Amino acid sequence: MAERVHPAADSPPQSGQFSGNFSSGEFPRKPAPPPATYVIQVPKDQIYRVPPPENAHRLQLLSQKKAGRSRCRCCFCSILAAIFILAVLVGLSLGVLFLVFRPEAPKYSVEGFSVSGINLTSPSPISPKFNVTVRSRNGNGKIGIYYEKGSTVDVFYRDVDLCNGALPVFYQPAKNVTVVKTALSGSRIQLTSGMRKEMRHELRKKTMPFKLKIKAPVKIKFGSVKTWTITVKVNCDVTVDKLTAPSRIVSSQCSHDVDLW
């Protein structure tokens, strides 16, 4: 006769096998936790609400840092919004001024260019002098131009700055042509032997090239409103026939640029 094997009292029930008597209202008991395992029950109202005493100070510091970062973000966003609104207002104002006044850039040309003080037969330093006459035409019907202090006028041969000076301070009204004369001078400019030879060659052809550079701070007048300071840059390529006064301009071509800020 085969032996019947009874399961041990502490062995888990097999599949489909339950312990206890359901008919008597008894339910299976929860399995006991494995050895060395602890179950700690914490009241629900103490979870995430009341930190331990040793962490209370740290929680307060973290809360203060978070609030400070939030205030900084709000302040930064407010500054960006103010800058954006200001830029929009400035753009709209400039657009209105452009539509009303229809501004156009003034035109510049060189009317006179007298040279002296350049000796090409001696290796000694030179002290050149230039008398330059510049014609400025303001074709705007409602815009005046203030030429202010701080302008610079330079004459170059190749990359050598031969002399410098400044424009006079003046106001040019609308629909006006102004002719400005300025005297430029240089002191003890040393030319290389190769540069002297090149200048003598160009002088024999009566095509001595120079570059005139003007940088002038100006303010534009729209009606009764005057703008901030704007820098006008004029570059002219001037060719003369000789290095003595009076000299004749063989060719002249000017270009200009404007720095609004």
Side-chain angles (χ1 to χ4, degrees):
M1 184 174 181
E3 293 182 357
R4 179 178 295 177
V5 179
H6 296 278
D10 56 351
S11 63
Q14 298 180 359
S15 175
Q17 191 177 28
F18 299 90
S19 62
N21 189 357
F22 285 89
S23 61
S24 62
E26 296 180 1
F27 295 91
R29 293 177 300 173
K30 295 181 179 180
T37 301
Y38 300 92
V39 178
I40 301 176
Q41 295 183 352
V42 180
K44 185 178 181 180
D45 59 349
Q46 293 186 9
I47 299 176
Y48 302 116
R49 294 184 181 180
V50 181
E54 61 272 13
N55 293 338
H57 181 64
R58 183 180 179 186
L59 178 62
Q60 183 179 4
L61 291 178
L62 291 176
S63 300
Q64 291 176 353
K65 289 181 179 180
K66 185 176 180 181
R69 286 195 295 268
S70 299
R71 286 194 295 269
C72 289
R73 283 195 294 268
C74 292
C75 182
F76 182 70
C77 291
S78 299
I79 293 174
L80 285 181
I83 293 174
F84 176 76
I85 293 173
L86 181 60
V88 170
L89 292 176
V90 171
L92 290 175
S93 300
L94 292 177
V96 171
L97 289 176
F98 180 84
L99 291 175
V100 172
F101 293 96
R102 300 287 183 178
E104 64 179 60
K107 295 178 173 58
Y108 301 93
S109 61
V110 179
E111 301 294 318
F113 202 85
S114 178
V115 188
S116 63
I118 299 180
N119 185 1
L120 300 178
T121 60
S122 171
S124 302
I126 62 174
S127 297
K129 296 182 183 298
F130 289 76
N131 290 315
V132 179
T133 303
V134 178
R135 181 178 184 267
S136 173
R137 179 182 178 274
N138 179 14
N140 294 282
K142 300 179 180 179
I143 298 176
I145 305 174
Y146 289 91
Y147 289 82
E148 304 202 329
K149 292 182 179 179
S151 63
T152 59
V153 183
D154 295 87
V155 173
F156 289 81
Y157 177 79
R158 300 293 186 251
D159 295 328
V160 180
D161 191 351
L162 297 177
C163 58
N164 52 73
L167 294 176
V169 177
F170 66 97
Y171 171 70
Q172 186 175 23
K175 293 291 184 180
N176 174 265
V177 174
T178 300
V179 177
V180 178
K181 296 183 179 181
T182 181
L184 314 176
S185 61
S187 178
R188 301 191 60 79
I189 307 299
Q190 185 64 58
L191 301 177
T192 64
S193 58
M195 190 174 294
R196 291 176 185 273
K197 182 178 179 180
E198 183 180 6
M199 293 178 75
R200 286 195 296 268
H201 176 70
E202 291 170 335
L203 191 59
R204 284 194 294 269
K205 297 188 301 180
K206 296 185 177 182
T207 56
M208 180 64 63
F210 294 100
K211 184 176 288 292
L212 175 68
K213 293 187 177 183
I214 301 174
K215 185 182 293 186
V218 303
K219 288 185 178 181
I220 310 300
K221 182 182 178 184
F222 296 91
S224 59
V225 178
K226 196 186 296 186
T227 67
W228 59 92
T229 300
I230 299 171
T231 302
V232 175
K233 299 177 181 178
V234 182
N235 295 321
C236 299
D237 293 319
V238 183
T239 301
V240 295
D241 61 344
K242 55 185 177 181
L243 295 179
T244 57
S247 57
R248 182 178 62 87
I249 296 177
V250 177
S251 66
S252 173
Q253 185 175 4
C254 295
S255 64
H256 65 274
D257 193 11
V258 176
D259 288 342
L260 295 177
W261 312 103

